[in-house]
Amino acid sequence: MILPEKYTEEMKSLLKNEYDDYLAAMDQPYVRSIRINTLKISPEEFMKISPFDLTPVPWCREGFYVNEDERPGTHPYYYAGLYYIQEASAMIPAAVLPVREHDAVLDLCAAPGGKSTYFASRLNGTGVLAANDISASRQNATLKNLERFGAGNIYVLSEDPEKLAGVWPEKFDCILLDAPCSGEGMFRKDPSLIKAWEKRGSEEYVPVQKKLAEQAVKMLKPGGYLVYSTCTFSICEDEEIIRFITGTFPEMKLQKIPDRHESFMPGVLPGFEDCIRLYPHKLNGEGHFTALLKKDGISASSEKYRTKIKIPAEAEEFMRLLKYPLPERITVRKDKVLLLPEISLPSDSLRVIRSGLLLGTLKKGRFEPSQALSFALSPETFGNCISLAAGDPRVIRCLRGETLQDDSDTEGNVLVCIDRWPLCFGKKQKNTIKNRIEKGYRML
Ligand code: SAM
């Protein structure tokens, strides 16, 4: 790997006699890893059915390395949302944020949703997760990843954080600021970033990072936690930003990271050793920086949301197939029927891509259940399931959007599953299932 001279000089001065180890690590292939979606399956259960050889990631209970020749992104379990493909060091920032059930959580720079999916698992359907990113096109992927995970307690937005801070002051128990950065830690995984670094170095990112940090602090409740993370080694984008935060906002205090793994290196500025630096020559992962901060004060709990509307008549018959009473948080916006999160966020003036779980769409006297709802269900919560074994060739046909044959007695609206994990809804008549998998969720 050919690294720019300016960069190698900086790294020599940062790493000193470890620099050669770093260079040697850069010539090793990067190791693939996945993170299990505990909304659908426990890591222990997944290990029993895993099609891949798994090696645990030491700092993430849900994380596993897979062999170099595996392609986890092509397996039907991926399409069913059983795991997310995530680089092992990238699991750390979300693992470090102490998210608890019923919290209000904000992922300020979320796309494509890697860390958001982790928060969704940890919230376990409670509280609220607001996943924002300035890039609306990248947020399509965030929505898709969250929906595939079966997460419905979400707001997915594409808004300027300054505007968010005006509408949501002191709203969140936990905030992740996974900041845009010069990307030095990703050079091995994606060498094309070296060219981008030559064009746009730290100087371009620091002002953006400071601005984002200010907005994040404004939106944090007293007593709340903020994780600041980057995938770069540049001190001015890392420890210097933490110094900026604690200097500008004295109520923000740097915290020790609990269960700190021995391979995490301390921050390099005096007084900022509680930050962690991850280097590819020290652990099996790419380069990252993470710091945990807490705002002084005592956190008040968020107000729970309740609304009572009558379920539209077209949707009633379908809703009877759900084997649980729907919480009183259903709303109808234009033709969309939505189940809002437990904690509601004022969002009328914001660019919202999705609020809550899309249950389905009202269409000329009928109700069409959504792809997102199918992922949020299971054989325990939906009456009409057709379960295909993992090796059944109909699984691939289903994921390609083809019509399926089935000779079971189930009729009408059915939920087609791989084992017990939904892939999509279908409409069954006689022995034929008309497949309703939405285009963006198909196997190409
Ligand atoms: N957290 C993501 C994940 O785990 O999948 C990765 C986020 S990436 C490191 C940084 C993101 O910041 C990019 O998606 C970029 O679009 C977004 N971004 C850049 N400037 C921003 C801004 N001013 N406000 C919000 N997001 C911004």
Side-chain angles (χ1 to χ4, degrees):
M1 179 174 293
I2 300 166
L3 297 165
E5 204 183 317
K6 182 168 172 259
Y7 173 70
T8 56
E9 288 311 314
E10 279 171 18
M11 289 305 279
K12 276 182 202 161
S13 109
L14 181 68
L15 295 173
K16 307 203 169 53
N17 56 4
E18 284 181 16
Y19 178 70
D20 287 345
D21 297 344
Y22 164 75
L23 270 193
M26 293 300 275
D27 282 333
Q28 298 299 312
Y30 108 90
V31 185
R32 285 166 205 279
S33 41
I34 61 174
R35 207 193 63 248
I36 307 306
N37 176 8
T38 53
L39 291 173
K40 295 194 181 244
I41 188 167
S42 69
E44 295 73 25
E45 275 181 283
F46 186 78
M47 284 176 89
K48 288 185 201 147
I49 61 157
S50 174
F52 323 115
D53 283 339
L54 300 176
T55 309
V57 171
W59 46 83
C60 177
R61 196 182 81 83
E62 302 86 355
F64 295 93
Y65 298 105
V66 297
N67 292 341
E68 205 185 330
D69 52 347
E70 308 279 18
R71 290 289 170 268
T74 61
H75 196 278
Y77 285 155
Y78 170 75
Y79 287 85
L82 266 57
Y83 53 82
Y84 185 83
I85 300 167
Q86 189 172 46
E87 191 280 299
S89 298
M91 296 173 190
I92 293 171
V96 160
L97 196 60
V99 169
R100 294 162 312 166
E101 289 189 10
H102 307 287
D103 273 352
V105 180
L106 171 63
D107 189 354
L108 195 55
C109 303
K115 297 169 186 94
S116 278
T117 54
Y118 198 2
F119 296 137
S121 292
R122 304 240 303 277
L123 285 170
N124 197 19
T126 68
V128 67
L129 166 67
N132 178 67
D133 198 283
I134 202 82
S135 162
S137 58
R138 283 168 61 79
Q139 281 297 73
N140 292 332
T142 304
L143 176 62
K144 199 158 122 182
N145 285 323
L146 284 168
E147 288 189 337
R148 215 199 282 281
F149 252 50
N153 51 338
I154 54 169
Y155 285 77
V156 177
L157 308 102
S158 182
E159 192 50 90
D160 184 339
E162 188 160 359
K163 186 150 180 209
L164 290 184
V167 182
W168 293 342
E170 297 192 350
K171 268 273 172 215
F172 295 95
D173 301 284
C174 287
I175 298 182
L176 173 66
L177 171 49
D178 190 28
C181 71
S182 58
E184 296 169 352
M186 290 291 128
F187 285 175
R188 177 169 70 175
K189 185 171 174 235
D190 183 0
S192 72
L193 290 173
I194 299 174
K195 279 233 152 11
W197 182 91
E198 286 175 312
K199 283 199 196 121
R200 293 185 72 195
S202 295
E203 321 71 64
E204 290 219 20
Y205 290 99
V206 168
V208 182
Q209 290 157 345
K210 287 186 175 168
K211 195 103 197 114
L212 289 169
E214 281 176 357
Q215 313 304 359
V217 171
K218 281 185 196 158
M219 287 187 271
L220 195 62
K221 285 183 189 176
Y225 289 91
L226 168 69
V227 161
Y228 175 83
S229 59
T230 70
C231 55
T232 201
F233 303 120
S234 149
I235 298 170
C236 59
E237 295 179 68
D238 292 342
E239 287 87 348
E240 294 279 12
I241 298 292
I242 305 306
R243 177 149 68 188
F244 166 77
I245 297 174
T246 51
T248 316
F249 303 99
E251 69 275 29
M252 295 298 295
K253 306 274 162 49
L254 182 60
Q255 305 289 301
K256 283 200 185 313
I257 286 179
D259 306 322
R260 183 173 169 143
H261 192 257
E262 63 203 16
S263 60
F264 300 171
M265 296 293 107
V268 290
L269 290 186
F272 292 86
E273 293 84 358
D274 285 337
C275 303
I276 55 176
R277 290 188 150 252
L278 313 172
Y279 293 112
H281 62 287
K282 292 286 191 187
L283 46 67
N284 211 348
E286 302 309 297
H288 275 265
F289 171 87
T290 297
L292 173 67
L293 299 119
K294 186 171 190 230
K295 198 186 231 184
D296 287 342
I298 296 171
S299 172
S301 53
S302 306
E303 211 174 295
K304 301 271 161 55
Y305 180 70
R306 281 186 116 202
T307 174
K308 200 167 181 146
I309 67 147
K310 198 172 150 23
I311 294 178
E314 304 93 306
E316 262 179 4
E317 186 192 341
F318 182 87
M319 295 301 170
R320 276 198 284 276
L321 289 169
L322 303 184
K323 290 203 217 159
Y324 58 86
L326 277 170
E328 288 178 352
R329 291 188 257 117
I330 292 187
T331 190
V332 179
R333 300 211 175 123
K334 295 189 181 144
D335 57 345
K336 304 270 183 271
V337 186
L338 297 149
L339 178 63
L340 294 180
E342 181 183 62
I343 297 169
S344 102
L345 297 170
S347 59
D348 286 351
S349 59
L350 302 174
R351 272 183 294 178
V352 178
I353 296 166
R354 170 80 76 246
S355 37
L357 173 66
L358 175 62
L359 297 175
T361 309
L362 301 169
K363 291 196 169 168
K364 289 190 192 140
R366 67 189 171 84
F367 174 76
E368 205 165 280
S370 75
Q371 183 67 44
L373 176 60
S374 71
F375 287 129
L377 294 171
S378 68
E380 288 78 43
T381 53
F382 191 77
N384 272 353
C385 284
I386 291 179
S387 171
L388 310 176
D392 187 325
R394 288 178 297 173
V395 168
I396 304 292
R397 291 218 297 278
C398 174
L399 285 169
R400 292 200 171 129
E402 295 169 19
T403 300
L404 306 176
Q405 295 302 307
D406 177 72
D407 49 19
S408 69
D409 296 337
T410 318
E411 280 282 312
N413 280 305
V414 292
L415 186 64
V416 185
C417 302
I418 169 170
D419 304 331
R420 62 186 170 87
W421 298 285
L423 296 172
C424 63
F425 286 114
K427 188 98 181 182
K428 187 166 172 221
Q429 274 183 324
K430 299 204 173 115
N431 287 351
T432 303
I433 305 171
K434 203 171 150 212
N435 192 330
R436 283 210 187 124
I437 189 163
E438 284 177 16
K439 281 218 171 77
Y441 295 86
R442 292 181 188 178
M443 189 183 257
L444 298 172

